[in-house]
Amino acid sequence: MANKVVIVGGVAGGASAAARLRRLDETMEIVLFERGEHISFATCGLPYYVGGVIAKRRSLLVQTPAGMKKRYNLDIRTMSEVRRILPAEKQVEVCDLQDGKKYLESYDYLILSPGAGPVVPDLPGINLPNVFTVRNVPDSDRLKEYIETAKPASAVVVGGGFIGLEMVEALRLKGASVTVVEADRQIMGALDPEMAVIIQKYLQGQGVGLVLGDKLTALQGVSRVERLILESGREIPAAMVVLAIGVKPEVRLAVEAGLAIGVTGGIQVDEYMRTSDPFIYAVGDAVQVKHFVTGQAVLIPLAGPASRQGRLVADNIAAYPVKYKGVQGTAIAKIMDLTVAVTGANEKTLRKAGIEHLACYTHPEDHAAYYPGSRQMSIKLLFSPGEGKILGAQVVGYRGVDKCIDVLATALRAKMNVFDLQELELAYAPPFSSAKSPVNMLGYVASNILRKEVEAVRWKQVEQLLAGSAVLVDVRADKELAKSGAVAGALHIPLDELRDRLAEIPEDREVLAYCQAGQRSYVANRILRQKGYKVKNISGGYRSYEALKNNSTKNT
């Protein structure tokens, strides 16, 4: 049993560990060092504070040092930076940032929760005063003050990930026109390209400029940034720049103390979150952990996993051994009216890990279509051949996305398969869902593929199949065709007329059927298969075709 635990860093991981330790042991001495003035703040709320959605700064402060000290009887020392770890002596060297004095503090166990810092590339002009990062409360204070005093007409966000796109909304709310510059060929790297393009199309429709596949090389201006220079030679004028390129783990203390660093660059920990020193644990954005799906080492900086890791380490120190089973990367973001969410592995990750997988798409309404106000969402499900184990999911839509991804994240964590999704008894009333919920429908579509009731193909395979003499059949209604458009060369036979018009479909050619979202073409597949045709269903229907077609959208 430890008599004294020292914690380096607060926020989700460190603060969670401190509170749990006290609940487990009223007599333990617990010292928490934080180099800033805040020990527990809502990092994920920063863009909403900048945009004015969260009006009061104090709302970001989950717990104040005084409040946490009083409730949990902790020794909290803010504005105190741990400069060195002395593992042999079981001590840390601390600098009081207010008076500059240094001193040593002993520990029985040490918990490292240093977090991660924003990636700031070493480029010309990067230190100009109207270049900002968004990682902590002081960052957001600077950013908010500049926006409200300078009132910039234009802004560039460098980085198209979750924080970058949340900042797009914040800047738009403050009246700035916004351009996103992303070095990758898509935004939202957690998504697969055909899902990311739905967001790209939405942003462009909202007047947001997108520059993809191009890299920032310099910032130019006299006393402030006036333009960005990209690798392609393109120049983009801007009154301010927000860097949202990503984060890197803060590992200096660990490196200098001789602790093992993993292949990802994060602090290496075992399944108990213990470092290579048995008396030192590490949690949060600085640590390398195991991916729940692939089993590979990853860095996934999220508040939820950091908080759970802090609690787990407290249990391991003060109560009983608990293993960390890995991170699955469940995340969600609001991008103006659109919502995007992910859980588990995407297809890029599965390919890299060499994991065999299948995919299906659905485009259900968020609640019963006959009840006013329903809107369509798009879902991609990844699952294993054979048993149909759930490997990952991506959801983009306007409402109900959070509910959908949470059910799928729970199913993934419980190691359920697609057949189990069919059996889930989820809440239904017309304003909220459908009798067959979007999750149930995913289960039906995926299990149809596994049971070989239908052979699914994706649009990226269609061109090759057509070259081999396959025929494309569109089974949508006439009004859908008129509204949405057609795929060149497709034979149009509405589903309800299919049995009467079979003679129009060549019997000696493979049939590729599609509808708007994939459900009616599945029915067409069942009809044609039983009539002796060799037929495949194009997964996701015309909605997925639109996404693929727009994937080649040029930069704006």
Side-chain angles (χ1 to χ4, degrees):
M1 178 70 69
N3 295 317
K4 183 178 180 180
V5 175
V6 168
I7 303 170
V8 180
V11 196
S16 177
R20 178 65 174 168
L21 283 169
R22 177 57 73 224
R23 291 195 297 270
L24 292 171
D25 189 338
E26 187 64 22
T27 65
M28 179 183 290
E29 184 179 357
I30 305 168
V31 184
L32 191 155
F33 291 108
E34 171 55 55
R35 64 187 171 193
E37 60 177 311
H38 307 292
I39 58 163
S40 185
F41 59 88
T43 307
C44 300
L46 297 178
Y48 303 106
Y49 170 62
V50 172
V53 176
I54 296 174
K56 297 179 180 178
R57 182 180 186 272
R58 65 173 178 268
S59 299
L60 297 173
L61 306 179
V62 179
Q63 183 62 274
T64 65
M68 195 163 182
K69 182 176 182 179
K70 184 175 182 180
R71 177 166 296 178
Y72 294 106
N73 188 27
L74 303 173
D75 183 353
I76 297 176
R77 306 180 200 177
T78 56
M79 303 303 293
S80 297
E81 184 176 15
V82 173
R83 295 282 176 84
R84 284 197 303 155
I85 303 169
L86 308 171
E89 294 84 2
K90 295 178 77 172
Q91 292 179 328
V92 293
E93 180 185 276
V94 186
C95 178
D96 187 324
L97 298 179
Q98 293 176 307
D99 60 19
K101 292 181 179 178
K102 296 180 181 179
Y103 61 93
L104 296 176
E105 190 76 31
S106 64
Y107 62 83
D108 292 317
Y109 284 96
L110 179 65
I111 302 174
L112 299 179
S113 180
V119 173
V120 180
D122 184 15
L123 298 173
I126 204 74
N127 294 316
L128 287 169
N130 56 338
V131 179
F132 303 90
T133 57
V134 190
R135 188 60 184 166
N136 52 38
V137 176
D139 282 350
S140 60
D141 286 339
R142 281 185 60 235
L143 183 50
K144 188 176 177 69
E145 182 183 8
Y146 179 81
I147 292 171
E148 292 176 353
T149 55
K151 301 188 185 310
S154 62
V156 173
V157 176
V158 183
F162 280 80
I163 292 294
L165 295 188
E166 286 171 346
M167 281 306 305
V168 168
E169 178 176 2
L171 293 164
R172 287 284 298 266
L173 287 171
K174 290 297 184 179
S177 64
V178 185
T179 298
V180 177
V181 174
E182 169 56 58
D184 199 357
R185 295 175 65 184
Q186 67 167 82
I187 60 171
M188 284 284 186
L191 298 179
D192 288 316
E194 72 276 21
M195 297 297 286
V197 77
I198 300 171
I199 307 163
Q200 291 163 196
K201 183 180 178 183
Y202 170 79
L203 287 171
Q204 290 172 321
Q206 296 294 314
V208 176
L210 290 182
V211 179
L212 306 177
D214 210 347
K215 193 175 181 181
L216 177 66
T217 57
L219 300 162
Q220 291 184 348
V222 180
S223 59
R224 295 181 181 276
V225 169
E226 297 171 8
R227 70 190 69 82
L228 291 81
I229 310 300
L230 305 185
E231 195 170 53
S232 64
R234 179 174 179 175
E235 296 186 10
I236 303 176
M240 65 176 292
V241 175
V242 177
L243 299 177
I245 300 170
V247 296
K248 57 183 178 181
E250 297 272 8
V251 298
R252 181 191 62 81
L253 278 174
V255 170
E256 293 179 358
L259 302 181
I261 303 299
V263 294
T264 63
I267 301 171
Q268 187 169 303
V269 294
D270 65 13
E271 57 192 351
Y272 299 97
M273 304 304 296
R274 188 169 43 206
T275 70
S276 53
D277 184 312
F279 299 100
I280 303 177
Y281 290 81
V283 300
D285 295 356
V287 302
Q288 171 182 292
V289 290
K290 180 180 71 173
H291 196 286
F292 187 76
V293 174
T294 67
Q296 295 189 330
V298 290
L299 289 171
I300 299 184
L302 293 170
S307 180
R308 287 191 291 278
Q309 290 162 13
R311 178 187 173 96
L312 179 147
V313 164
D315 287 343
N316 283 322
I317 291 173
Y320 34 74
V322 183
K323 295 180 180 179
Y324 187 66
K325 298 178 182 177
V327 61
Q328 64 194 70
T330 305
I332 190 167
K334 176 182 178 294
I335 307 168
M336 291 177 273
D337 291 332
L338 199 66
T339 305
V340 54
V342 298
T343 191
N346 59 26
E347 202 160 359
K348 294 169 287 188
T349 300
L350 293 172
R351 287 197 200 102
K352 188 176 179 181
I355 296 174
E356 192 178 359
H357 60 278
L358 297 171
C360 69
Y361 304 84
T362 61
H363 303 286
E365 300 292 316
D366 58 54
H367 63 252
Y370 62 82
Y371 186 89
S374 70
R375 300 194 73 173
Q376 200 171 48
M377 64 173 72
S378 296
I379 310 174
K380 179 177 183 178
L381 183 70
L382 295 159
F383 53 99
S384 67
E387 63 176 324
K389 180 182 176 183
I390 299 165
L391 303 174
Q394 301 160 37
V395 188
V396 180
Y398 295 90
R399 287 187 296 266
V401 172
D402 55 340
K403 176 169 63 176
C404 184
I405 203 68
D406 281 346
V407 173
L408 292 168
T410 303
L412 191 154
R413 178 63 61 159
K415 299 185 178 180
M416 296 170 68
N417 60 35
V418 300
F419 304 105
D420 295 319
L421 296 183
Q422 300 176 79
E423 304 300 324
L424 291 178
E425 188 174 324
L426 303 173
Y428 160 62
F432 305 106
S433 187
S434 300
K436 293 177 182 176
S437 79
V439 173
N440 293 143
M441 289 304 300
L442 266 181
Y444 292 129
V445 172
S447 62
N448 286 340
I449 294 171
L450 291 176
R451 287 177 174 143
K452 302 191 184 304
E453 292 182 17
V454 62
E455 187 176 350
V457 295
R458 292 196 250 177
W459 280 105
K460 60 185 179 182
Q461 301 169 273
V462 167
E463 186 175 348
Q464 183 177 354
L465 292 170
L466 291 177
S469 81
V471 60
L472 201 57
V473 177
D474 184 338
V475 298
R476 293 177 296 161
D478 292 334
K479 62 180 180 181
E480 290 177 289
L481 198 71
K483 180 179 179 181
S484 301
V487 180
L491 174 63
H492 178 227
I493 304 177
L495 175 62
D496 293 341
E497 302 173 18
L498 184 61
R499 291 181 181 87
D500 298 326
R501 296 174 59 182
L502 291 175
E504 298 177 35
I505 304 174
E507 295 182 9
D508 59 343
R509 295 170 65 184
E510 185 174 55
V511 177
L512 308 178
Y514 71 93
C515 61
Q516 190 70 14
Q519 186 176 0
R520 283 167 296 167
S521 57
Y522 162 67
V523 176
N525 268 252
R526 296 304 302 157
I527 293 170
L528 292 170
R529 179 175 288 204
Q530 293 176 73
K531 296 293 185 181
Y533 287 86
K534 184 180 179 182
V535 58
K536 290 183 173 71
N537 192 44
I538 303 178
S539 186
Y542 190 80
R543 182 73 187 265
S544 290
Y545 171 77
E546 282 186 307
L548 184 68
K549 181 177 65 175
N550 285 301
N551 201 15
S552 58
T553 301
K554 296 189 181 298
N555 293 331
T556 61

